[in-house]
Amino acid sequence: MMVACLSGLAFPSALHVGRPNIGDRSRLLARVEDMCERAWLSNDGPFVREFEQRVADLTGVRHCVAICNATIGLEIAIRAADIAGEVIIPAYTFVATAHALQWQGVTPVFCDIDPVTHTLDPASVERLVTPRTSAIIGVHVWGQPCPVEELTAIAHRHGLKLMFDAAHAFGCAHRGNPIGGFGLAEIFSFHATKFVNCAEGGAVVTNDDELAARIRLMRNFGFAGYDNVIYVGTNGKMSELSAAMGLTSLDCMPHIVQANRENYAAYRQAFRDLPGVSVIRYDETEAQNYQYIVLDIDPTTCPLTRDQLVQVLHSHNVLARRYFFPGVHRMEPYRSSYPDAHLVLPVTEDVVRRVVVLPTGTAVSPRDIEQIGQIVRWGLDRAGELRQRLPECIPPGGRFDEGWA
Ligand code: T4K
């Protein structure tokens, strides 16, 4: 018998982490109509330009170059900034941060993180600097800013370039300044699962005029006008359809933040007083997008393991996700290249086993969250029985909906 049947609390249809915020459909469709009328579908079209201007205005940077996705955005920025050799990045990130470097023939060096903010730990960064290091790429995980000042000081001290993977952090701020203006460049993702989305999309933002010009060229095969190619470029262009989606998403940004913020408050209420389970807090004195509801499961006090809790949630149609399990250093090709990396990443190793991300966004209501809280309470109340039935750990690639019968 499935646990879901026992509790009677299962959702009739799945609640996903990363469910896109669609925005105002009539505005989206009107833009699609315009696009069809103009018969201008890609290559630096009017929607892309408008999207770039609005992102630049919102982040207070001089240049925004829209890109087809953040992974290509990272690759282009890395190449345009002449980054080579070794680059220090957190092991606790989405694999794209490392792949973008590897794809450009640059070696990612995995660094440990702060246990509270989940962003790069400056002391660990400093220890990893070698004569081959050319740059640091911090990641604003969950929209929480990296220790920007400390990383800037380290970069200056060692003559390194500093960039930020800001895939999670559009709409967030650090010390009152919008994410986007820090380091040499910052890279946003506007993927479907992100706070503001273009279905697929990204952007490099920078205050460096020369870098912005190179990125623009590289995004379009290196063309500087008709028939004139002056760089090795790629195709990193954003389509008009993606920009139409992005503009519509920008239009409803305040509504999305509001929904996310209400959901965050509802989760904090629903998960109060649960043994070993806590919702990671946002600094509410800064602008936030509240796009990620992150649970920390303390293995010393929670009666179920993190993976058992995820199994309970999945059995009730709440498709919670482990992030970024098992850590980039344990994914190929990095696992084979650095088989001992985990030995110097104690915090990352701990965090990848503790974190669960829960559904939020405009598709989830505070009422749903109350029910998710009841499901978790139900699971914890029956921990003795469930521990006998559920595997303690699900390996990477394993399924959370097996073994319930
Ligand atoms: N740096 C960081 C720190 C990042 O997190 C990311 C991307 C990047 C760089 C690179 O940005 P992009 O190149 O993607 O612009 C997803 C996303 O594909 C990825 O964009 C995101 N981070 C990453 C954290 O998550 P998967 O493999 O987990 O996606 P998937 O297919 O499992 O979908 C996630 C959830 O969203 C599911 O529960 C289903 C739901 N979903 C997804 C899509 C696309 C929907 O309900 N509707 C949808 O249309 O990677």
Side-chain angles (χ1 to χ4, degrees), residues 15-20 68-72 74 93-97 139 141 165-168 188-194 199-202 292 319 321 323-324:
L15 294 185
H16 290 268
V17 170
R19 201 65 163 172
C68 54
N69 60 59
T71 308
I72 302 292
L74 279 160
T93 182
F94 188 58
V95 71
T97 321
V139 182
V141 177
D165 175 338
H168 293 191
F188 292 120
S189 171
F190 299 112
H191 179 257
T193 55
K194 296 298 186 284
E200 286 282 357
Y292 298 90
L319 305 188
R321 295 286 292 260
Y323 267 61
F324 298 95

Side-chain angles (χ1 to χ4, degrees), residues 18 47 53 151 169 171 188 235 237 297 308 353 363-364:
F47 283 154
Q53 190 57 55
L151 294 177
F188 292 120
N235 182 354
K237 288 172 279 131
I297 310 301
Q308 285 167 336
R353 285 171 179 76
V364 178

Side-chain angles (χ1 to χ4, degrees), residues 120 122 125 136 138 146-156 162 164:
L120 273 178
V125 171
I136 303 165
C146 290
V148 171
E149 290 72 21
E150 289 93 327
L151 294 177
T152 306
I154 295 172
H156 279 158
L162 177 64
F164 293 100

Side-chain angles (χ1 to χ4, degrees), residues 319-379:
L319 305 188
R321 295 286 292 260
R322 302 181 288 193
Y323 267 61
F324 298 95
F325 185 76
V328 179
H329 61 295
R330 287 187 180 270
M331 296 175 179
E332 293 296 357
Y334 315 108
R335 182 174 57 187
S336 297
S337 312
Y338 314 109
D340 297 329
H342 60 282
L343 299 174
V344 292
L345 299 167
V347 181
T348 305
E349 286 280 300
D350 188 37
V351 169
V352 295
R353 285 171 179 76
R354 296 172 70 113
V355 160
V356 183
V357 175
L358 294 175
T360 187
T362 52
V364 178
S365 71
R367 175 75 199 92
D368 296 332
I369 291 163
E370 215 181 298
Q371 193 169 329
I372 295 171
Q374 287 166 10
I375 291 166
V376 171
R377 263 170 220 280
W378 176 91

